[in-house]
Amino acid sequence: MSIRFTTRARGGLAAWSVAMALTFGLVGCGSGGGGDDEKPKATASASKEDGSAPSAQEGTAEEPLAELKGSEGLSLRITSVEKDAGGFVTVNGELKNDADKSVAIPSALSGNETEIVRNGRSLGGATLVDSKSKKRYYVLRDTEGRPLTTSGFSTMKAGDRLAVFMQFPAPPADTTEVTFQLPTFASATISLSG
């Protein structure tokens, strides 16, 4: 038993030493020469002087890739679809309540898979259909079964907007178009980029 205690004590002492070294290192960086404080300002002013426009990720998407109408006055604007080298497709958009009253988010948007429904309201029912390969791709899940999509919303007030995302496995590299489907919404054909 004393061997276990010694091993734990040494591990704890090592962890404490590392924590203290990091703490003193961070304090030293903050009180240093002051040159680091000017770098972010220079970057920010440089981007203003260049006249660069905000990116789509900053909420200024010019034209949506698709606009889908759903039930209860809800609409979904798809603002970007990104296919990355890691084998994923991320669909970004904006869910909006166009009705003149509050709307309860339909449970159908979560889909009907027990594992996803158990994790609360989400856009877990979304799919991408690849007609060329004759395959349907469902929203990915993490190791605990939670869908990799916007979740945790149940009601939207009149005029409310909510930035949303859904992540899917990527279709084969030669697939350039897929059909996006979300329960209670019209479907739309979207192009894959990346």
Side-chain angles (χ1 to χ4, degrees), residues 4-72:
R4 286 184 184 165
F5 177 75
T6 304
T7 304
R8 287 183 186 165
R10 285 183 187 160
L13 183 59
W16 181 80
S17 299
V18 170
M20 292 307 295
L22 288 173
T23 301
F24 287 121
L26 289 173
V27 170
C29 289
S31 63
D36 289 341
D37 292 339
E38 295 175 16
K39 287 180 185 175
K41 292 177 187 173
T43 304
S45 63
S47 66
K48 288 178 186 174
E49 290 170 8
D50 291 339
S52 61
S55 69
Q57 291 178 336
E58 292 172 346
T60 58
E62 295 172 9
E63 196 65 34
L65 302 175
E67 188 158 357
L68 294 73
K69 298 291 182 191
S71 62
E72 306 289 328

Side-chain angles (χ1 to χ4, degrees), residues 70 113 161:
E113 293 182 45
R161 298 171 186 259

